[in-house]
Amino acid sequence: MPAMSSNMSVGSEVGGPAIAAPLRPGDPRLASWRAFLMAHSRVWHRLDEDLRQEHDLTLPEYECLLFLVEAPDRRLRMREIADRVLLSKSGVTRMVDRLVADGLVERTSCTTDARGAEASLTMAGVGRLRAASRTHLKGIDDYFLSVLDRDQLAVIERAMAAVDARAG
């Protein structure tokens, strides 16, 4: 492997994959990353808190209902839900169990594979989702959109799409 200079930065390539220079205290490369993490964490927690207080739903439960209402026949396999709400399979199982107990979702056999399980949205789930969507959208407006102008939003959308594509 070719020798590399000690001032090589993240993303530099010398005949191979990117290699990062060692981090030093106060390294400016971390500022954007930390700002992203803090903003994401704080907005996520505020949205979750609002949904819990006003609708007795967690943010992942709300997202599950949202994914189900958008799905064909308002049903999804458990694995698809896990991938979309970023929970483990067992975490999704517990979450769907709570939604079933509340009458918002039903467990059904998979229409294409009898061994698989699906979750399907009930009419009560549609109603709860409609009510909670006002709270969720207000939170997005209050905690995210209200502090950014149109140009900033376009930059964030392009940047996060690029990050997602690279990481995916």
Side-chain angles (χ1 to χ4, degrees):
M1 180 166 207
M4 297 185 306
S5 74
S6 62
N7 63 359
M8 183 172 286
S9 64
V10 171
S12 296
E13 292 193 23
V14 179
I19 298 175
L23 293 175
R24 294 176 187 23
D27 191 315
R29 294 176 291 175
L30 294 178
S32 297
W33 176 246
R34 287 183 176 149
F36 165 75
L37 290 178
M38 289 303 297
H40 173 270
S41 177
R42 288 186 175 161
V43 170
W44 194 97
H45 286 287
R46 294 292 299 267
L47 294 172
D48 185 65
E49 197 174 285
D50 292 349
L51 287 167
R52 284 175 189 264
Q53 287 177 359
E54 295 183 36
H55 304 282
D56 194 29
L57 284 173
T58 66
L59 184 54
E61 289 168 343
Y62 172 83
E63 289 176 339
C64 178
L65 296 178
L66 187 60
F67 290 129
L68 286 168
V69 82
E70 294 171 344
D73 298 323
R74 296 183 173 168
R75 59 191 310 135
L76 287 170
R77 290 187 70 135
M78 299 298 282
R79 180 84 238 148
E80 291 175 281
I81 295 170
D83 291 343
R84 293 178 186 191
V85 270
L86 306 177
L87 290 174
S88 67
K89 192 172 177 185
S90 63
V92 165
T93 298
R94 288 189 299 274
M95 178 184 67
V96 169
D97 287 346
R98 288 190 303 272
L99 294 172
V100 167
D102 288 346
L104 307 179
V105 168
E106 292 177 340
R107 265 187 207 283
T108 56
S109 295
C110 181
T111 55
T112 58
D113 177 5
R115 296 172 297 162
E118 292 180 329
S120 59
L121 192 60
T122 65
M123 289 310 296
V126 172
R128 179 82 71 85
L129 176 63
R130 281 190 182 134
S133 68
R134 289 188 270 288
T135 300
H136 184 247
L137 292 172
K138 181 181 182 316
I140 290 170
D141 285 339
D142 291 349
Y143 310 132
F144 184 69
L145 298 175
S146 68
V147 299
L148 302 166
D149 64 35
R150 186 172 297 209
D151 292 338
Q152 291 170 315
L153 289 171
V155 169
I156 290 170
E157 185 177 346
R158 283 191 312 273
M160 292 300 104
V163 168
D164 182 45
R166 177 66 181 253

